[in-house]
Amino acid sequence: MSCNWGTELWDQFDNLEKHTSWGIDFLERYTKFVKERADIELSYAKQIRSLSKKYHPKRSREDESRFTWCLAFAATLRQLNEVAVQREELADSLNTQIVCELTRYTHELKTERKTHFQDGRRAQQHIESSWKQLESSKRRFERDCKEAERAQHVSDRIDLDSKTDGEKARQTAQQKQQAAEESRKDYVTSLNQFNQDQHQHYHTLVPVIYQRIQDMEERRIERICEAMRSSAEAERKVLPVVSRCLDAMMDAAESTQPRMVSLLWVVEVYKSGFDPPGDVEFEDYSATMRRSISESSYLDNRTEGRRHSRKLWPFIRKNKGSSPADCSHLPPEQRRKKLQTRINNINQEIQREREQRDALLKMREVYEHSPQMGDAGSLEPRLEEVKQSLQRLEDELRRNQVHTAWLLEVDSRLSDHSSRRQSGGCGLNSQTLNIIKPTCLSLSTCLSLSPDGSYTEDHSAELHFKSRSSEFDDDFDDEEPLPSIGTCKSLYPFQGQNEGTLSMVEGELLSVVEEDKGDGWTRVRRNLEEEGYVPTSYIKVFLDSSAKGAMTYI
């Protein structure tokens, strides 16, 4: 079927002008649609990237690198970030390949359309001008014919009446007839010219111009279709990558392995290494009382009445002031792992420092043999700095190795003691206390009395005390509290900032549970929950025989 605008729509110039104008408006609207979609894709990518960054695991959360579900979530966030990258690429393709091209093409299309319709208007003006010329010559021929006819009638009448006037009328009639003949020739010429122009207009000019407009419109439609295909193709290119990201998310979800996490990772992370509490033994309250009833024993009984309530350490929050730097806040099993990790890190640092030292030594040797290459003396400050760093790291390594070995040895002793206790023991005996107490009491090397009676701290020995004394704090919590052997009154305030010590204020009354064994420290108790060592020189002790005197003194 022929659909030539030049033959089918020869008289629809105005409608074609409106139609092509609407087509360009549609092209601009589609371009705006693609641009807004690209903006949406870009905004979506930005929000997805921001969301992924917001929920990405923080470096401070070490636990998230251990558990598979945390790793799976981190992998999902990474894949989501890749999805955002693909969406950004899609937005970029839409902007560069479609929006920019359509904007340029729209400008060219408007210019081309303007040219075609200007040619059409000129052709239309030419045919209209030819028609006006034809109409003018036609009216003039009609007028001249009428005037020649009237002149002939006048001439015929005069011939009948007078021969003299008749000659003049005949001459006028002949002139009018000649003018009519001239008008007729001009009219015929104009008619032929108009017919020729009209034929050329409707069979040559209009078909050519309209065909160009038709081609322009078809190209516009094809360009829109091409833009739609390009848009779909741009999105199709990112779909395989997005699909792979989704597959990676599925794989990450499948890799969580809940059974393995519950059996291995949780045990590995939270295992304390403590033994479960042993059986609670019967205490015979009908036995003969070891001391007479006094005001001090009454005071002790108020605290000891709650002493025999069994402390189940896993369910009691312990308020300790240990520093995470010495690992004393951790249970034995985790403490050993932390120390081992620290040792491995120190070994790596030592290896790096040694490699740097060897490189500096080789460089110094080269400079010594070839002074023109550099000054060997300029390397000495750096060599000295590396040597000091190596010495510091090696000292720290030895301390941690000794601490680890000591921790293993003491833990094995405590394990043996725990086994004996479960088989028939009844708490820490004096022999076991003699094993652990000297280490806990090493704080005596960290403190010295000032001339005014106050105390000062020896910070060089504080780390040794903290790392040693804190090992046994948990063990005391698991055993039955020792019985009170007397009371004491604090003479000075004392801030127990280290593990195993107990803070007190001036004038405070405390229960004595263990005398000073010659190391300058006395073990006291404030209540069932608070127990520790205080300097013997800071208190005045009243044993059972002097308990009443102590109450009177206070």
Side-chain angles (χ1 to χ4, degrees):
M1 180 180 178
S2 176
C3 294
N4 194 317
W5 287 12
T7 58
E8 302 293 335
L9 303 176
W10 62 270
D11 58 346
Q12 298 297 319
F13 183 85
D14 293 338
N15 288 331
L16 287 180
E17 188 176 17
K18 293 179 181 178
H19 175 77
T20 53
S21 177
W22 174 81
I24 292 178
D25 292 340
F26 179 84
L27 179 61
E28 291 179 335
R29 189 156 58 96
Y30 179 75
T31 304
K32 184 178 180 182
F33 159 75
V34 177
K35 186 179 184 304
E36 290 184 359
R37 183 189 172 187
D39 293 341
I40 290 175
E41 293 288 351
L42 192 62
S43 176
Y44 172 74
K46 182 179 180 181
Q47 294 180 21
I48 288 295
R49 188 188 297 277
S50 177
L51 181 67
S52 176
K53 183 178 179 181
K54 177 181 178 181
Y55 285 94
H56 196 275
K58 303 299 185 293
R59 293 183 179 179
S60 59
R61 295 296 304 273
E62 296 180 358
D63 293 343
E64 296 193 2
S65 63
R66 299 177 179 177
F67 299 106
T68 54
W69 72 82
C70 296
L71 296 177
F73 181 55
T76 300
L77 293 177
R78 288 193 298 271
Q79 298 303 322
L80 196 61
N81 189 70
E82 181 62 26
V83 171
V85 172
Q86 297 305 313
R87 290 297 172 183
E88 288 176 347
E89 293 183 359
L90 174 59
D92 183 68
S93 298
L94 293 176
N95 278 321
T96 57
Q97 298 180 10
I98 299 178
V99 176
C100 294
E101 289 296 323
L102 288 182
T103 302
R104 181 184 59 81
Y105 175 70
T106 302
H107 179 71
E108 295 177 354
L109 187 63
K110 287 181 178 180
T111 303
E112 182 182 2
R113 176 182 175 276
K114 181 178 180 181
T115 301
H116 293 329
F117 280 96
Q118 283 179 350
D119 294 340
R121 287 192 182 92
R122 281 195 295 268
Q124 188 70 24
Q125 290 173 359
H126 178 73
I127 193 65
E128 289 177 357
S129 176
S130 180
W131 171 258
K132 289 180 181 179
Q133 183 66 28
L134 174 62
E135 288 291 324
S136 177
S137 61
K138 179 182 177 181
R139 286 195 298 271
R140 186 168 59 252
F141 172 63
E142 182 182 7
R143 185 182 67 250
D144 290 344
C145 288
K146 290 181 179 179
E147 289 179 358
E149 185 179 0
R150 284 197 301 269
Q152 187 62 38
H153 286 305
V154 170
S155 177
D156 292 341
R157 282 199 310 270
I158 291 175
D159 285 341
L160 296 176
D161 298 334
S162 172
K163 293 182 179 181
T164 303
D165 294 335
E167 185 65 27
K168 185 178 180 179
R170 282 194 298 269
Q171 289 178 357
T172 302
Q174 288 177 358
Q175 290 176 357
K176 294 295 183 181
Q177 287 179 358
Q178 289 177 359
E181 186 64 25
E182 291 295 332
S183 298
R184 177 180 176 280
K185 292 179 180 179
D186 186 55
Y187 171 62
V188 171
T189 302
S190 299
L191 180 60
N192 293 334
Q193 183 64 40
F194 174 76
N195 290 333
Q196 183 180 354
D197 292 343
Q198 182 174 254
H199 184 273
Q200 183 181 10
H201 177 79
Y202 290 110
H203 294 85
T204 303
L205 294 180
V206 170
V208 171
I209 295 173
Y210 283 19
Q211 183 63 42
R212 293 174 182 173
I213 296 175
Q214 182 180 0
D215 294 341
M216 178 193 70
E217 185 68 10
E218 291 176 355
R219 288 197 307 272
R220 179 190 66 82
I221 298 173
E222 180 61 29
R223 201 59 175 268
I224 292 177
C225 294
E226 182 181 352
M228 292 180 179
R229 287 193 298 268
S230 299
S231 176
E233 186 64 25
E235 187 163 7
R236 179 178 293 176
K237 287 182 179 179
V238 304
L239 286 181
V241 181
V242 174
S243 179
R244 287 196 295 270
C245 293
L246 295 176
D247 292 340
M249 293 180 188
M250 293 290 293
D251 295 339
E254 295 295 334
S255 66
T256 53
Q257 299 179 358
R259 186 67 176 175
M260 185 190 72
V261 172
S262 62
L263 292 179
L264 299 179
W265 284 107
V266 177
V267 173
E268 178 70 18
V269 172
Y270 297 113
K271 181 180 179 181
S272 66
F274 292 134
D275 294 328
D279 295 337
V280 178
E281 296 186 358
F282 174 76
E283 298 185 17
D284 189 2
Y285 288 97
S286 62
T288 304
M289 302 302 293
R290 290 178 295 176
R291 60 180 181 271
S292 60
I293 299 177
S294 63
E295 291 182 13
S296 62
S297 62
Y298 172 74
L299 178 63
D300 293 338
N301 289 335
R302 291 177 61 187
T303 59
E304 293 181 4
R306 299 186 300 271
R307 183 188 64 189
H308 301 290
S309 60
R310 186 61 173 172
K311 287 181 64 178
L312 300 179
W313 61 266
F315 307 105
I316 297 178
R317 181 181 296 274
K318 300 179 181 179
N319 185 16
K320 300 178 181 178
S322 61
S323 171
D326 60 4
C327 305
S328 59
H329 65 294
L330 300 174
E333 188 72 18
Q334 301 303 320
R335 197 179 307 168
R336 284 194 293 269
K337 294 177 183 177
K338 196 72 173 180
L339 289 174
Q340 188 59 47
T341 302
R342 186 180 297 173
I343 290 173
N344 295 337
N345 294 335
I346 294 175
N347 282 326
Q348 294 177 1
E349 293 183 13
I350 290 176
Q351 182 63 27
R352 287 194 295 268
E353 293 293 337
R354 286 176 178 173
E355 292 175 356
Q356 189 172 4
R357 181 196 60 187
D358 295 341
L360 291 172
L361 290 175
K362 290 181 181 180
M363 189 178 297
R364 186 178 67 178
E365 184 178 355
V366 172
Y367 287 174
E368 289 175 350
H369 287 83
S370 303
Q372 68 276 9
M373 297 185 65
D375 182 13
S378 63
L379 301 177
E380 291 301 328
R382 181 56 183 161
L383 271 172
E384 184 63 26
E385 182 181 348
V386 172
K387 289 180 181 179
Q388 292 179 1
S389 179
L390 269 174
Q391 183 64 33
R392 177 182 58 81
L393 291 172
E394 289 172 353
D395 292 342
E396 187 176 355
L397 178 63
R398 283 193 294 271
R399 286 196 299 271
N400 282 275
Q401 288 174 339
V402 171
H403 193 180
T404 303
W406 173 82
L407 181 61
L408 291 173
E409 179 182 358
V410 174
D411 187 68
S412 63
R413 293 186 183 184
L414 291 177
S415 299
D416 295 340
H417 166 70
S418 178
S419 300
R420 292 195 300 271
R421 184 188 66 183
Q422 292 179 1
S423 62
C426 57
L428 290 175
N429 53 29
S430 60
Q431 183 178 3
T432 306
L433 287 175
N434 290 332
I435 294 175
I436 20 181
K437 180 185 171 187
T439 303
C440 294
L441 296 183
S442 60
L443 181 62
S444 61
T445 62
C446 304
L447 299 174
S448 58
L449 289 176
S450 301
D452 59 354
S454 62
Y455 77 98
T456 59
E457 295 186 9
D458 184 1
H459 295 284
S460 63
E462 181 180 357
L463 178 61
H464 176 69
F465 167 77
K466 290 174 67 179
S467 62
R468 301 292 299 273
S469 64
S470 61
E471 305 295 335
F472 300 98
D473 189 81
D474 294 336
D475 298 325
F476 289 137
D477 292 337
D478 290 341
E479 302 299 333
E480 291 290 338
L482 296 175
S484 175
I485 61 174
T487 59
C488 68
K489 178 185 178 182
S490 61
L491 302 178
Y492 310 101
F494 173 70
Q495 297 294 330
Q497 298 179 351
N498 300 303
E499 285 291 336
T501 62
L502 182 67
S503 300
M504 60 184 181
V505 297
E506 183 178 356
E508 185 177 4
L509 183 65
L510 303 170
S511 298
V512 178
V513 296
E514 185 177 349
E515 294 183 79
D516 187 353
K517 300 299 183 181
D519 50 21
W521 294 87
T522 301
R523 187 174 178 180
V524 299
R525 180 191 301 133
R526 176 176 290 111
N527 50 49
L528 191 61
E529 298 290 337
E530 300 180 349
E531 183 175 309
Y533 291 91
V534 297
T536 305
S537 59
Y538 275 44
I539 60 174
K540 184 172 184 180
V541 179
F542 305 91
L543 298 180
D544 285 344
S545 58
S546 304
K548 186 175 180 63
M551 296 296 294
T552 305
Y553 176 80
I554 295 173

